[in-house]
Amino acid sequence: MSRLLVLAPGAIATIQDLGRPGFGPLGISTAGAADPLSLRAANRLVGNPEDAPAIEMALGGAAFAFEGDAVVAVAGADLACGIAPFTATAIASGEKLRFGWAKRGSRAYLAVAGGFVLDRAFDSASVHVWSGLGGRPLAKGDVLEVVPGRGTRRPANLDTAQRAAIEASIFRKELRVTWGPQASWFSEAERERFVATPWTVGDAIDRMGLRLEGLAIALAHPRELLTEGAPLGAIQVPDGGRPIVLFVEHQTTGGYPKIANVVSADLAALGQLRPRDTIRFLPVSFEAARRLLEVPG
Amino acid sequence: MSVPLLDWASDRALRVRFADTISDAAHDDVRRALAAFERAPVPGQVNLHPAHASILVVVDPLAATAEAVEAAVRATLHAADDLELPEPRLVEIPVCYEPPYALDLDDVARRAGISIDEVVRAHAGALYRVDFLGFAPGFPYLSGLPERLATPRRTEPRIRIPAGSVAIAGSQAGIYPVEIPGGWNVIGRTPRVLFPPPLLRVGDRVRFLPIPADAFR
């Protein structure tokens, strides 16, 4: 039985899989990996099912020691750690993996062949940080047991083109959006400003939402919204006019008007934004948004 | 069931609206829709977010066309038109309205222009309905707060609100199931565990029973 010792969690490190769909009626959002494309890639590389839990590291600084041999892969942000990214690598017992700080993007996934022995809450090992559901972020001294064996599937290699396609999807700074259910509450001039403005991502690295700095966006007339379901990637405009992009740990319902919504194809890119990044929004039709999923990149 | 308005809130989330205001009829429509979609999911369905008078149906956009999802939603709702709803459960929740649990009770009383005892009597004297669980895991949005207790959200949200905090905001009542940040006015705390597992479900009726601080444990 191999084990992984947490020497340092870095900025924040959590166990993530593809989340817990289906529990919205209990007030639980699906959540899971902030960048599911990279999680899936890391798992494929070591022969795990795509939805196996892995370690999500934000911004860098994490370090791990291995007791027993293991096969690992790292995908997502470029956190220099001495092994090639997007490649399955054998680690000998006693070796350490130390991650530097992200040069590009913000989150990387460390998958281990076989996966980890973990408790599950509501069908998922994902840690929902702000509510504590599924546990807490990793801390120095934590030990993760590796499931014996070598993964249940044949490890896949990613060729240069496949890796380039993933990186094109996750390192976008121009995010496509569809207009939100309350877009008509904003004047045409305000909607144009929303599109023309370069927005700055706030200082906090937060799985619940990304606060944006730029212009304040105002409603045409003050209106009260009856609380309604809020989707992942919704861009809501609270009273102060500073937009917030609802991210993976978003509240399931909300009462603020939603001017727009990041398209499904660009949700993984939200998970790679860093504090102080500058982003722009590009409106597309719902048909175009769905087509983007058929042709990644 | 009233004829719902359908529109896409995102490329993966179909908004199904029965009304624009809180009402018994809209609540029953939401309950019927929730039961129907849980029993017979539409193509690609991955999640449901019920609210006061609407339900958001989240789908995998690769699993079915928008038209197919809309058609399935309409057919499912049509079939659920005469769905018998089970009798609501009544859940009694003990609350201590005393220090140190009643963080904002003074403010609520002052704003309402009534005594603290009157706030407690009014809050514990009402019968509430769980419109939905939302915002956070297990958090009940309760309708039925007496009008004179309506209090705006706090201007400065708290970084941590203890689990079990019984709170009000606007014309809504609620209970914080887990320790999370929040901006509602806390007027007491319950020793009952709301989550996990979830104590309440959509449609339940709730009564609050005042208990003294020494009975809290």
Side-chain angles (χ1 to χ4, degrees), chain B residues 31-199:
Chain B
R31 278 181 77 196
R32 278 195 196 89
L34 180 58
F37 293 133
E38 284 186 327
R39 205 175 43 190
V42 301
Q45 179 178 309
V46 293
N47 224 331
L48 300 165
H49 295 205
H52 295 292
S54 66
I55 185 165
L56 195 70
V57 181
V58 183
V59 296
D60 171 359
L62 286 171
T65 65
E67 294 72 23
V69 172
E70 290 168 41
V73 162
R74 284 189 204 284
T76 301
L77 291 175
H78 186 69
D81 207 21
D82 50 3
L83 194 72
E84 281 288 321
L85 291 171
E87 268 304 295
R89 301 183 307 168
L90 176 64
V91 182
E92 296 190 320
I93 294 183
V95 185
C96 178
Y97 293 95
E98 295 168 29
Y101 309 118
L103 305 170
D104 303 311
L105 189 52
D106 293 356
D107 285 350
V108 171
R110 208 173 16 250
R111 272 183 175 275
I114 55 179
S115 71
I116 285 177
D117 283 353
E118 282 176 282
V119 173
V120 172
R121 265 201 302 277
H123 184 262
L127 179 65
Y128 300 86
R129 180 180 69 205
V130 179
D131 279 3
F132 61 98
L133 303 175
F135 170 57
F139 188 106
Y141 277 71
L142 304 171
S143 57
L145 184 73
E147 252 171 68
R148 59 194 174 136
L149 297 188
T151 310
R153 245 166 229 282
R154 288 166 47 84
T155 42
E156 283 296 317
R158 287 193 171 86
I159 305 287
R160 308 193 91 74
I161 293 195
S165 292
V166 173
I168 57 183
S171 58
Q172 297 274 301
I175 309 166
Y176 282 84
V178 290
E179 184 179 279
I180 45 174
W184 291 36
N185 303 277
V186 177
I187 60 170
R189 197 180 303 172
T190 177
R192 290 286 302 266
V193 173
L194 272 86
F195 186 91
L199 173 70

Side-chain angles (χ1 to χ4, degrees), chain A residues 122-209:
Chain A
F122 294 90
D123 299 351
S124 164
S126 260
V127 173
H128 192 273
V129 178
W130 75 271
S131 75
L133 182 61
R136 54 161 174 80
L138 293 175
K140 183 181 175 178
D142 284 348
V143 177
L144 294 166
E145 304 262 348
V146 178
V147 176
R150 270 286 176 263
T152 53
R153 315 193 170 196
R154 220 149 57 95
N157 286 320
L158 281 181
D159 63 31
T160 319
Q162 288 167 310
R163 179 178 161 182
I166 291 173
E167 290 184 331
S169 290
I170 66 176
F171 294 134
R172 294 182 63 87
K173 297 289 193 295
E174 185 187 65
L175 302 171
R176 279 80 53 108
V177 297
T178 48
W179 288 114
Q182 286 81 38
S184 66
W185 292 23
F186 299 85
S187 69
E188 197 167 330
E190 288 294 89
R191 292 202 298 268
E192 279 170 14
R193 288 204 315 147
F194 172 76
V195 172
T197 300
W199 296 97
T200 304
V201 178
D203 285 328
I205 184 102
D206 191 340
R207 288 170 42 87
M208 191 181 180

Side-chain angles (χ1 to χ4, degrees), chain A residues 100-123:
Chain A
W101 296 92
K103 292 200 255 309
R104 182 162 65 143
S106 61
R107 289 182 175 93
Y109 293 82
L110 171 63
V112 176
F116 300 111
V117 179
L118 295 163
D119 291 337
R120 295 163 75 81
F122 294 90
D123 299 351

Side-chain angles (χ1 to χ4, degrees), chain A residues 17-87:
Chain A
D17 53 24
L18 292 178
R20 38 180 70 88
F23 295 104
L26 300 180
I28 299 170
S29 48
T30 302
D35 169 4
L37 283 180
S38 296
L39 171 77
R40 288 184 144 122
N43 276 323
R44 277 204 309 274
L45 288 161
V46 297
N48 289 346
E50 286 196 351
D51 60 354
I55 299 172
E56 176 179 293
M57 298 170 283
L59 301 177
F64 305 93
F66 288 81
E67 286 182 6
D69 299 345
V71 173
V72 306
V74 176
D78 185 4
L79 314 177
C81 68
I83 64 168
F86 290 97
T87 313

